[in-house]
Amino acid sequence: MKRRIAPWAWPLVAIRLFALLVLLLACVPAYYLLAPLTRRNPAPRFFLTSVGRISGLRVTMRGSSPAPDTFFLANHVSWLDVPALSHASGTAFIAHAGLADFAPLRWLCTLNDTVFVARNRRSTVSEQVEQVRSALRDTGALTIFPEGTTSDGTDLLPFKSSLLSAISTDDDTVAAQPVWVDYGSDAAEIAWVGEEPGLDNALRILARTKPVRVTVHFLAPLTGEDRRDRKALARGAQAAIRHAMETGAMENSRA
């Protein structure tokens, strides 16, 4: 279903788009200037955090503080998940290789050490593992959305263990931490689902006068049997996030 933007909201959309363009033009040169001077370039985190702020995103963090060198396994509701998680942790991301088909988007993603994963190409797994290690060295954190697509924010889609093939499950030096990205009662309004084009979704969010409030819940890292293999990793992360969602819903019902 196509959602129309009210005529009075278009000036706000224009202001935000202009601000995003100015931000991009400022951050790209800053990235290349800082690249030789720092191991962890602050420009991508600043850029993504600012994208969220300009878009109306307001982030609250709860739960266990992420340790250095952590894989985050998060639910996926909106493109706003990326600036929210970047703000909260400075993380890089694992994305499906199809996202890289649009060259300008691929270039922007690589500035933030994005690792592109081809699900069904086993011949590239070793290369992907090395990319994962490099991204962890550069950023200290790496996020994957095991659902493989966005949900409506009220429940979880099945977690695809194939997306975790590039992650080493037996490396105890790297924590695997589930993360619940919680938009509360606004989830259905924010979610990018169904047949809605991505541009329509982005413009609809940019037209909002009400802030987009999101809580990033860092849950307990997975241990023991949940780290046995990639399927156990997917099951453990999904169970942890679903439990947090159900607990949160019960707490809200009592409030």
Side-chain angles (χ1 to χ4, degrees):
M1 180 179 66
K2 186 174 182 178
R3 298 174 174 87
R4 294 184 177 179
I5 297 173
W8 55 263
W10 280 107
L12 177 59
V13 172
I15 290 169
R16 283 175 162 164
L17 287 174
F18 179 74
L20 290 171
L21 177 60
V22 171
L23 175 68
L24 178 65
L25 294 176
C27 285
V28 170
Y31 173 88
Y32 288 107
L33 286 172
L34 292 169
L37 306 176
T38 179
R39 178 170 170 262
R40 293 183 179 174
N41 198 315
R45 184 175 188 177
F46 176 81
F47 173 75
L48 288 172
T49 296
S50 300
V51 166
R53 294 289 297 182
I54 292 169
S55 303
L57 192 65
R58 303 295 180 266
V59 182
T60 301
M61 292 168 280
R62 291 184 182 174
S64 307
S65 298
D69 298 334
T70 298
F71 287 120
F72 298 121
L73 298 96
N75 64 306
H76 199 12
V77 181
S78 165
W79 56 271
L80 288 172
D81 301 348
V82 171
L85 287 164
S86 182
H87 169 79
S89 65
T91 181
F93 295 88
I94 296 178
H96 184 259
L99 188 65
D101 291 342
F102 183 52
L105 181 58
R106 180 185 182 93
W107 170 67
L108 278 175
C109 289
T110 55
L111 296 187
N112 193 46
D113 296 296
T114 299
V115 178
F116 295 102
V117 174
R119 296 183 197 174
N120 301 318
R121 291 171 58 189
R122 295 291 179 183
S123 61
T124 65
V125 168
S126 60
E127 179 183 345
Q128 291 166 6
V129 169
E130 182 52 41
Q131 289 176 327
V132 164
R133 290 173 179 165
S134 175
L136 274 173
R137 285 193 300 268
D138 291 343
T139 65
L142 194 58
T143 296
I144 189 168
F145 300 111
E147 290 169 293
T149 187
T150 50
S151 70
D152 64 5
T154 63
D155 199 1
L156 297 175
L157 300 173
F159 278 25
K160 296 180 171 68
S161 63
S162 61
L163 294 177
L164 306 178
S165 59
I167 296 176
S168 175
T169 57
D170 58 359
D171 187 350
D172 293 334
T173 65
V174 177
Q177 188 168 11
V179 179
W180 173 30
V181 183
D182 174 21
Y183 291 92
S185 59
D186 284 342
E189 178 63 23
I190 297 304
W192 177 20
V193 292
E195 299 300 320
E196 183 181 25
L199 179 60
D200 286 3
N201 178 271
L203 292 175
R204 181 166 57 81
I205 289 175
L206 292 176
R208 285 172 57 99
T209 56
K210 180 182 176 183
V212 179
R213 303 194 183 278
V214 59
T215 303
V216 178
H217 300 262
F218 292 103
L219 309 178
L222 300 175
T223 58
E225 284 298 302
D226 287 335
R227 293 291 302 267
R228 186 178 69 251
D229 55 38
R230 59 184 175 85
K231 291 185 178 180
L233 201 65
R235 287 194 302 268
Q238 184 172 27
I241 296 172
R242 174 164 282 125
H243 176 72
M245 294 174 75
E246 292 172 349
T247 301
M250 286 189 291
E251 290 176 353
N252 291 337
S253 67
R254 296 192 191 107

